[in-house]
């Protein structure tokens, strides 16, 4: 049995004697016998080496693809060595939420820097210290926009299906009505949206680029939302933010997104990070922790958790959200990643993603696959694919995770880590299967 | 200390990517404003964060007796296993056949936690304790709705509960009814009886409660709620006191959340990521968020419960955190799990016994894994508050206990040493607590002025909230 208990049996006896009880059982004697568990049906504890063998064995049952051409909400990007090293520093890893600011300045400052960088990326005025992921960030964004007389949320059908489902679940709790804005040829049907909005509409949620990788007319969507007195929420890919018009420039009241592309491992879906940013006017509606600048009695600059009057530990049932733990270490990692990349580096990642995706789409079209949608896309796109299962199987055999099966074909994604040779190899495999 | 934005120079950068090997394209409508991110060299970047790291206090630095937070040692093997490429490089949308190891992590962890908690099913989708509460409450809501019992709109919450409980209940669309505590710190059973009725959806309870006291009438409490037609929710924040000794399922709870980042040793990361596994009895299983891992013929696969409330987040939860918790469960096993709880309780009682020499304990009697001191009398006599004592501890290298919680105790300090602290560390901490008691009487000003050895002194939080500066802006 492994154990992390420090005290020896002799020390435990000393402590018991100091407390004045004969044994540890005496400290449990006030618990009713009826609820005491007997010996549990669990395996015996293991040594560290045994745990290593067992868990390494589990990891070995997973397939790690050398080439990944699948995204749909989780993306394999290059993570600089320096980012991984910094994010594993145990001072940060083993700390709790910084309730004692005087001994937590490093942590608080790292979050303040993260908030600053999320504002830079989105163009918004204020960001929080993170929520669980992109889906919950979108759901919390919808909650921010609900007003007493505005209780209907309009969500683009072209948003990530998992994000839509998460919004629906949160709205089931809050009693907010969720309506889907229909899709038209791979994009949100903005004409239809105009007819849907009314005085009870709280917000419009648009994903940019959308689930199919297509660029939406976000400026127009924002104008339609605002014309009806509704708020405009944009769910954005943070890498694309280096290249596309920022949420602020598109008129967003709330900008949210999945932070995983910014230096976080795929890790089979988590932990990731949801970023949230908003305008000055809505800052106090943000859920979760927020770090602010403060000064001590000597005028020295420091950082604290601030605007806590919104939060559960102060306001209980009147809190704006229940969030307590967030994804602080992921926020730290994102801060380190964005600092490592800098403006040129992030722009380079965005350009390479988009360029490689377009190269790949062009090569696929040359062998007879067709893009299902027209118009601009970023680093994801949908193509038709005859003999889809065989194509995926053939790619799999070559160590390539192909596009995600979606209605109409495959949703492909290309990032900067995929080389032209890998793309060419994928194309030739697909060509062979499809016999073009 | 400089911000990263105040370091560097225009044009400084790291060389990370090769040149683009395909023709470059861009969007027709592009970003107009400059992308104002730091421009630093790699060595500058490392030095910046290394400097920040020197101004953080983690479990690696010393005792962290933060009540209700269970800041136990974070075993390093767990981090190493979670970082295995076979886990960290796996895309969440890979075919089931290629992620059998990930599914096995969930299936194994679920099986172990079902036994530890006495529940019938466990989901790992919720990312934190509060997220688990929200999920559990939605299960309760869906359950009543499915029975056409729409009148059950109230959730009962003791006044000693964590703030997340009432906040989660409201998010799930319930009204919150506060139940007072009786003089012994436990739920006032008569008040509970008076509060339940046909509008009761359920009760949320932490046991042992936030005063570190085991609710000895627990079976009566859960029976009262069940007889009124409500369900019982167990907030697992304090499970470390009783894991392996008492199972929530045997106490009459229908649904629970576990904080894997507390009880099961995964690191807190400065506030997250955590994991808020939710367990439930058979009657709530059909409503669990999907997908759940299911055993197929010779393999593991996903299945969505029949009446699922839907997703509460993208993908499957904080997987890498669950890997760590699984390593911990495997390490401790049958004997180690109750042994950890017993030592957590012993350590807390030892510290309480030593501190009670000077500090009044809010509720007498043996405690479980934590206890609450009330410094009200000290404050009246000397003017020194719980906050002052906490700041005095900072100067002496000790992380303070949880302050001003639970709300029903004035000038509260809530102490939870956990089982991984050794006797001499606790003795040293107790000596310092007792010295501070003396100092409060001999030189209260010194404590009002604390801390003096930290990088900054007490920060003006009122001004920070009144005039919020939430990001750096170039002068």
């Amino acid at each position: 049995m492994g154990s992390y208990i420090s005290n020896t049996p002799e020390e435990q006896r000393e402590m018991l004697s100091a407390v004045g009880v004969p044994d540890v059982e005496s400290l449990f004697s006030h618990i009713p016998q009826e609820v005491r568990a007997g010996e549990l049906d669990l395996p015996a504890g293991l040594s560290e080496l045994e745990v290593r063998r067992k868990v390494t064995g589990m990891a070995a049952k997973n397939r790690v693809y050398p080439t990944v051409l699948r995204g749909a909400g989780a993306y394999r990007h290059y993570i600089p060595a320096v980012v991984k090293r910094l994010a594993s520093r145990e001072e940060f890893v083993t700390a709790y939420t910084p309730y004692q600011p005087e001994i937590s300045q490093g942590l608080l400052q790292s979050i303040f820097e993260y908030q600053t960088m999320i504002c830079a990326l989105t163009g918004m005025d204020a960001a929080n210290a993170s929520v669980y992921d992109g889906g919950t960030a979108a759901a919390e964004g919808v909650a921010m926009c609900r007003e007493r007389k505005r209780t209907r949320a309009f969500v683009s059908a072209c948003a990530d299906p998992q994000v839509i489902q998460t919004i629906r679940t949160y709205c089931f709790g809050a009693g907010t009505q969720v309506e889907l804005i229909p899709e038209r040829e791979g994009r949100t049907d903005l004409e239809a949206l105009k007819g849907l909005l009314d005085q009870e509409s709280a917000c419009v949620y648009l994903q940019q680029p959308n689930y199919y990788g297509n660029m939406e007319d976000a400026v127009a969507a924002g104008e339609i939302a605002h014309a009806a007195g509704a708020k405009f929420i944009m769910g954005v890919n943070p890498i694309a933010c280096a290249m596309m018009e920022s949420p602020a420039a598109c008129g967003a009241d709330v900008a949210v997104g999945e932070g995983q592309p910014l230096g976080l491992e795929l890790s089979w879906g988590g932990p990731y990070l949801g970023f949230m940013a908003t305008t000055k006017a809505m800052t106090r509606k943000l859920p979760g922790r927020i770090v602010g600048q403060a000064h001590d009695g000597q005028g020295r600059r420091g950082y604290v958790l601030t605007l806590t009057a919104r939060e559960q530990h102060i306001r209980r049932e009147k809190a704006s959200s229940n969030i307590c733990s967030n994804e602080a270490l992921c926020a730290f990692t994102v801060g380190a990643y964005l600092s490592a990349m800098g403006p040129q580096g992030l722009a380079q990642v965005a350009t390479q993603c988009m360029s490689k995706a377009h190269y790949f789409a062009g090569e696929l079209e040359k062998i007879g696959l067709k893009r299902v949608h027209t118009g601009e896309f970023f680093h994801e796109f949908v193509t038709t694919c005859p003999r889809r299962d065989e194509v995926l199987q053939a790619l799999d055999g070559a160590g390539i995770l192909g596009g995600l099966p979606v209605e109409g074909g495959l949703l492909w994604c290309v990032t900067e880590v995929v080389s032209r040779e890998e793309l060419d190899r994928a194309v030739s495999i697909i060509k062979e299967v499809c016999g073009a | 200390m400089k911000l990263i934005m105040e370091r560097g120079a225009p044009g400084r950068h790291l060389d990370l990517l090769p040149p683009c090997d395909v023709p470059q394209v861009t969007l027709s409508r592009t970003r107009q404003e400059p992308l104002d991110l730091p421009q630093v060299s790699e060595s500058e970047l490392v030095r910046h964060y290394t400097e920040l790291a020197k101004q953080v206090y983690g479990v690696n630095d010393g005792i962290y007796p933060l009540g209700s937070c269970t800041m136990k040692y974070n075993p390093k093997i767990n981090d190493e296993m979670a970082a295995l490429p076979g886990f960290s490089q796996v895309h969440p949308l890979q075919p089931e056949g290629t992620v059998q190891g990930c599914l096995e992590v969930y299936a194994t962890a679920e099986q172990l936690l079902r036994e530890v908690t006495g529940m019938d099913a466990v989901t790992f989708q919720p990312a934190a304790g509060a997220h688990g509460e929200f999920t559990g409450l939605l299960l309760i809501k869906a359950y009543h709705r499915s029975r056409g019992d729409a009148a059950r709109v109230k959730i009962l919450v003791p006044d000693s509960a964590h703030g997340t409980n009432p906040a989660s209940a409201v998010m799930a669309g319930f009204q919150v009814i506060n139940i007072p505590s009786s003089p012994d710190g436990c739920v006032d059973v008569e008040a509970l009886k008076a509060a339940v009725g046909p509008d009761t959806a359920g009760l949320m309870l932490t046991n042992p409660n936030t005063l570190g006291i085991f609710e000895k009438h627990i079976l009566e409490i859960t029976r009262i709620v069940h007889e009124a037609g409500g369900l019982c929710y167990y907030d697992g924040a304090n499970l470390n006191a009783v894991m392996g000794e008492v199972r929530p399922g045997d106490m009459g709870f229908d649904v629970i959340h576990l904080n894997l980042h507390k009880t099961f040793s995964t690191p807190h990361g400065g506030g997250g990521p955590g994991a808020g596994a939710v367990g439930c009895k058979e009657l709530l299983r059909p409503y669990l968020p999907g997908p759940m891992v299911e055993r197929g013929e010779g393999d593991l696969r996903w299945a969505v419960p029949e009446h699922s409330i839907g997703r509460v987040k993208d993908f499957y939860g904080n997987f890498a955190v669950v890997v760590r918790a699984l390593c911990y469960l495997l390490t401790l096993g049958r004997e180690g799990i109750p042994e950890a709880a017993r030592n957590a309780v012993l350590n807390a009682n030892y510290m309480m016994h030593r501190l009670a020499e000077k500090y009044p304990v809010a509720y007498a009697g043996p405690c479980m894994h934590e206890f609450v001191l009330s410094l009200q009398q000290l404050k009246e006599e000397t003017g020194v508050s719980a906050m002052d004592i906490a700041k005095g501890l900072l100067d002496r290298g000790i992380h303070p206990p949880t302050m001003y919680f639970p709300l029903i105790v004035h000038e509260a300090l809530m102490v939870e040493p956990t089982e991984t602290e050794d006797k001499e560390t606790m003795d040293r901490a107790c000596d310092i607590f007792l010295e501070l008691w003396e100092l409060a009487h001999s030189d209260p000003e010194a404590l009002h002025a604390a801390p003096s050895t930290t990088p900054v002194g007490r920060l003006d939080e009122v001004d920070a909230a009144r005039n919020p500066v939430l990001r750096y802006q170039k002068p």
Side-chain angles (χ1 to χ4, degrees), chain B residues 91-115:
Chain B
H91 192 285
L93 297 173
Q94 285 185 205
E96 283 168 350
T98 69
V99 294
Q100 287 294 305
C102 291
L103 292 165
E104 189 178 339
V105 167
Y106 271 22
T108 311
E110 181 183 359
Q111 190 186 351
L112 298 175
L113 289 176
R114 270 168 40 190
E115 178 63 13

Side-chain angles (χ1 to χ4, degrees), chain A residues 61 70 90 162 169 246, chain B residues 33 60 93 104 268 311 315:
Chain A
K61 292 180 190 169
R70 187 172 289 193
E90 298 218 349
Q162 299 200 54
T169 308
S246 73
Chain B
E33 61 272 59
N60 281 12
L93 297 173
E104 189 178 339
H268 285 56
R311 292 188 160 277
F315 305 115

Side-chain angles (χ1 to χ4, degrees), chain A residues 138 205-209 233-237 244 254-258 275:
Chain A
Y205 176 83
L206 184 82
Q207 182 177 320
Q208 179 80 314
I233 308 172
M234 281 182 76
V236 292
N237 179 312
M244 70 187 191
V254 182
V256 299
E258 174 53 68
F275 61 86

